[in-house]
Amino acid sequence: MANPKILIIPGSTRTGSHNVKLAALAAKELTLTDIEVTRISLADYELPIYDADLDARAGQPANALRLKQMIMAHHGVFIASPEYSASVTPVLKNAIDWVSRVREKGDPTYAAFKGRVFAIASASPGRSGGLRSLIALRQILELGCGALVIPEQVAIPNAPQAFDDMENIADTGLANAFRGELERLVEMARLMM
Ligand SMILES: Cc1cc2nc3c(=O)[nH]c(=O)nc-3n(C[C@H](O)[C@H](O)[C@H](O)COP(=O)(O)O)c2cc1C
């Protein structure tokens, strides 16, 4: 049976980001099970703050189109993103807003968010692991963009201490939940092929 393609997007571009680490771990786990993975950085898709006048005047920036096409080339998308002010990071929200406006010929609305499945996770130095950002991100993806987001999600608390020397999640329960989330993502992405 052919395997689905999974895109991994960290919602942080910070040097030393815990969520980039979590994204890298997702890529490692998926690659070990022979899944084709693409891991990107939103730093490579620099975008102006969404501005409807700019959109009307100049259309969507090339990077919004590139990011939309990158998402559409995959059956599943895994997003690991920090919590900022009890919500998602500006870089992630801005990217989603721009991508949500891109419509190529024949596209339905929110094309990048349809026909594929999303999974979300977060890591934070705080005790809740960024849980509130997952609630916000789920709302944006599901209610805002019509995406299918699997119910499994993992929030990693105490992020600076959460990873061991091999960059794996140190806590066995959380590590198993993370693996379970990835397995479910692949299972659902397979249905999108
Ligand atoms: C503007 C700002 C707001 C933040 N708000 C929260 C928050 O509401 N909850 C939380 O757990 N951490 C919050 N943090 C801390 C981040 O979780 C922490 O900086 C984390 O390391 C960022 O993720 P990263 O390591 O992947 O870049 C905030 C950080 C910044 C810069």
Coordinates of all heavy atoms in Angstrom, one line a residue, residues 11-21 80-87 89-90 123-132 159-160, ligand 1:
G11 N 5.1 26.3 14.1 CA 4.5 27.7 14.2 C 5.5 28.7 14.8 O 5.1 29.8 15.1
S12 N 6.7 28.3 14.9 CA 7.8 29.2 15.5 C 8.9 29.2 14.5 O 9.3 28.2 13.9 CB 8.3 28.7 16.8 OG 9.4 29.5 17.2
T13 N 9.6 30.4 14.3 CA 10.8 30.5 13.5 C 12.0 30.8 14.4 O 13.1 31.1 13.9 CB 10.6 31.5 12.4 OG1 10.2 32.8 13.1 CG2 9.5 31.2 11.4
R14 N 11.8 30.7 15.7 CA 12.8 31.1 16.7 C 14.0 30.2 16.7 O 13.8 28.9 16.6 CB 12.2 31.2 18.1 CG 13.1 31.7 19.2 CD 12.3 31.7 20.5 NE 12.1 30.4 21.1 CZ 13.0 29.8 21.8 NH1 14.2 30.4 22.0 NH2 12.8 28.6 22.3
T15 N 15.2 30.7 16.8 CA 16.4 29.9 16.9 C 16.2 29.1 18.3 O 16.0 29.7 19.3 CB 17.7 30.7 17.0 OG1 17.7 31.6 15.8 CG2 18.9 29.9 17.0
G16 N 16.4 27.8 18.2 CA 16.3 27.0 19.5 C 14.9 26.7 19.9 O 14.6 26.3 21.0
S17 N 13.9 26.9 19.0 CA 12.5 26.7 19.3 C 12.2 25.3 19.8 O 12.6 24.3 19.2 CB 11.7 27.0 18.0 OG 10.4 26.4 18.1
H18 N 11.4 25.2 20.8 CA 10.9 23.9 21.3 C 10.0 23.3 20.3 O 9.9 22.1 20.2 CB 10.2 24.1 22.7 CG 11.1 24.7 23.7 ND1 12.3 24.2 24.1 CD2 10.9 25.9 24.4 CE1 12.8 25.0 25.0 NE2 12.0 26.0 25.2
N19 N 9.2 24.1 19.6 CA 8.3 23.6 18.6 C 8.9 23.1 17.3 O 8.4 22.2 16.7 CB 7.1 24.6 18.4 CG 6.2 24.7 19.6 OD1 5.3 23.9 19.8 ND2 6.5 25.6 20.5
V20 N 10.0 23.8 17.0 CA 10.8 23.3 15.9 C 11.4 21.9 16.2 O 11.4 21.0 15.4 CB 11.9 24.3 15.5 CG1 12.9 23.6 14.5 CG2 11.3 25.5 14.9
K21 N 11.8 21.8 17.5 CA 12.3 20.5 18.0 C 11.2 19.4 17.9 O 11.4 18.3 17.5 CB 12.8 20.6 19.4 CG 13.7 19.6 19.9 CD 14.1 19.8 21.4 CE 15.3 20.7 21.5 NZ 15.9 20.7 22.9
A80 N 3.2 22.0 14.7 CA 3.7 22.1 16.1 C 3.9 23.6 16.4 O 4.8 24.2 15.8 CB 4.9 21.4 16.3
S81 N 3.1 24.2 17.3 CA 3.1 25.6 17.4 C 3.1 26.1 18.8 O 2.4 25.5 19.7 CB 2.0 26.2 16.6 OG 2.1 27.6 16.6
P82 N 3.8 27.1 19.2 CA 3.8 27.7 20.5 C 2.5 28.4 20.8 O 1.7 28.8 19.9 CB 4.9 28.7 20.6 CG 5.6 28.6 19.3 CD 4.7 27.9 18.3
E83 N 2.3 28.7 22.1 CA 1.2 29.6 22.6 C 1.8 31.0 22.8 O 2.7 31.1 23.6 CB 0.6 29.0 23.9 CG -0.5 29.8 24.5 CD -1.1 29.1 25.7 OE1 -1.7 28.0 25.4 OE2 -1.1 29.6 26.8
Y84 N 1.1 31.9 22.2 CA 1.5 33.3 22.5 C 0.2 34.0 23.0 O -0.9 34.0 22.3 CB 1.9 34.1 21.2 CG 3.4 34.0 20.8 CD1 4.2 33.0 21.4 CD2 3.9 34.8 19.9 CE1 5.6 33.0 21.0 CE2 5.2 34.8 19.5 CZ 6.1 33.9 20.1 OH 7.4 33.8 19.7
S85 N 0.2 34.6 24.1 CA -0.9 35.3 24.7 C -2.2 34.4 24.6 O -3.2 34.9 24.2 CB -1.1 36.6 24.0 OG 0.1 37.4 24.0
A86 N -2.1 33.2 25.0 CA -3.2 32.2 25.1 C -3.8 31.9 23.7 O -4.9 31.4 23.6 CB -4.3 32.7 26.0
S87 N -3.0 32.2 22.6 CA -3.5 31.9 21.3 C -2.3 31.4 20.4 O -1.3 31.0 20.9 CB -4.1 33.2 20.7 OG -4.8 32.9 19.6
T89 N 0.7 31.8 17.3 CA 1.7 32.8 17.0 C 1.2 33.7 15.8 O 0.5 33.2 14.9 CB 3.0 32.1 16.7 OG1 2.8 31.2 15.6 CG2 3.6 31.4 17.9
P90 N 1.7 34.9 15.8 CA 1.3 35.8 14.7 C 1.8 35.2 13.3 O 1.1 35.3 12.3 CB 2.0 37.1 15.0 CG 2.5 37.0 16.3 CD 2.4 35.6 16.8
A123 N 4.3 22.9 22.3 CA 5.3 22.8 23.4 C 5.5 24.1 24.0 O 5.6 25.1 23.3 CB 6.6 22.2 23.0
S124 N 5.5 24.2 25.4 CA 5.7 25.5 26.0 C 6.4 25.3 27.3 O 6.3 24.2 28.0 CB 4.3 26.1 26.3 OG 4.4 27.1 27.3
P125 N 7.2 26.3 27.7 CA 7.9 26.2 29.0 C 6.9 26.1 30.2 O 7.2 25.7 31.3 CB 8.7 27.5 29.1 CG 8.8 28.0 27.7 CD 7.6 27.5 27.0
G126 N 5.6 26.6 29.9 CA 4.6 26.6 31.0 C 4.0 25.3 31.3 O 4.3 24.3 30.6
R127 N 3.2 25.3 32.3 CA 2.6 24.0 32.8 C 1.5 23.4 31.9 O 1.2 22.2 32.0 CB 2.1 24.2 34.3 CG 3.2 24.0 35.3 CD 2.6 24.1 36.7 NE 2.0 25.4 36.9 CZ 1.4 25.8 38.0 NH1 1.2 24.9 39.0 NH2 0.9 27.0 38.2
S128 N 0.9 24.3 31.2 CA -0.2 23.8 30.3 C 0.2 23.3 28.9 O -0.5 22.8 28.2 CB -1.3 24.8 30.2 OG -0.9 25.8 29.3
G129 N 1.5 23.5 28.7 CA 2.1 23.0 27.4 C 1.6 23.7 26.2 O 1.8 23.2 25.0
G130 N 0.9 24.9 26.3 CA 0.4 25.6 25.2 C -1.0 25.1 24.8 O -1.4 25.4 23.6
L131 N -1.7 24.4 25.7 CA -3.0 23.9 25.4 C -4.0 24.9 24.8 O -4.7 24.6 23.9 CB -3.6 23.2 26.7 CG -4.9 22.5 26.6 CD1 -4.8 21.3 25.6 CD2 -5.4 22.1 27.9
R132 N -3.9 26.1 25.4 CA -4.9 27.1 24.9 C -4.6 27.5 23.5 O -5.6 27.8 22.7 CB -4.8 28.4 25.8 CG -5.3 28.1 27.2 CD -5.1 29.2 28.2 NE -3.7 29.6 28.2 CZ -3.2 30.7 28.9 NH1 -4.0 31.4 29.6 NH2 -1.9 31.0 28.9
A159 N 8.8 22.6 28.5 CA 9.5 22.3 27.3 C 11.0 22.2 27.4 O 11.6 21.3 26.8 CB 9.1 23.2 26.1
P160 N 11.6 23.2 28.1 CA 13.1 23.1 28.2 C 13.6 21.8 28.8 O 14.7 21.4 28.6 CB 13.5 24.3 29.1 CG 12.3 25.2 29.0 CD 11.1 24.4 28.8
Ligands
LIG1 C1 4.5 37.3 23.0 C2 4.6 36.0 23.7 C3 3.5 35.5 24.4 C4 3.6 34.3 25.1 N1 2.5 33.8 25.7 C5 2.5 32.6 26.2 C6 1.3 32.0 26.7 O1 0.2 32.6 26.7 N2 1.4 30.7 27.2 C7 2.6 30.0 27.3 O2 2.6 28.9 27.7 N3 3.7 30.6 26.8 C8 3.7 31.9 26.3 N4 4.8 32.4 25.8 C9 6.1 31.7 26.0 C10 6.3 30.8 24.8 O3 5.6 29.6 25.0 C11 7.8 30.4 24.8 O4 8.5 31.6 24.4 C12 8.1 29.3 23.8 O5 9.5 28.9 24.0 C13 7.9 29.7 22.4 O6 7.9 28.6 21.6 P1 9.2 28.2 20.8 O7 10.3 27.7 21.8 O8 8.8 27.1 19.9 O9 9.7 29.4 20.0 C14 4.8 33.6 25.1 C15 5.9 34.1 24.5 C16 5.9 35.3 23.8 C17 7.1 35.8 23.1

